[in-house]
Amino acid sequence: MKTLTCIVCPKGCTLNVDAAKGEVTGNGCSRGKDYGMAEVTNPTRVLTTTVAIDNAIHARLPVK
């Protein structure tokens, strides 16, 4: 069971996804079910952040 926040519509529903059973609960619309299953089985979101750099011109470097 994995818990994630749906980003398909502005509601931001909290989804509970059980990939083994193919079940998604907590979705407020039909698009949430499709998003939840896809995100657990084949994640497509990219995490962007920054990392600190020692002894460089810039203090931080953006990374994906």
Side-chain angles (χ1 to χ4, degrees), residues 13-31:
C13 299
T14 300
L15 304 177
N16 295 308
V17 183
D18 188 350
K21 293 181 181 179
E23 295 178 350
V24 178
T25 58
N27 53 309
C29 65
S30 60
R31 294 181 296 171

Side-chain angles (χ1 to χ4, degrees), residues 5-53:
T5 301
C6 183
I7 60 170
V8 177
C9 73
K11 284 182 165 182
C13 299
T14 300
L15 304 177
N16 295 308
V17 183
D18 188 350
K21 293 181 181 179
E23 295 178 350
V24 178
T25 58
N27 53 309
C29 65
S30 60
R31 294 181 296 171
K33 182 176 182 179
D34 297 333
Y35 169 77
M37 191 55 65
E39 191 63 29
V40 170
T41 57
N42 184 21
T44 57
R45 290 188 292 167
V46 176
L47 174 66
T48 57
T49 188
T50 58
V51 293
I53 305 172

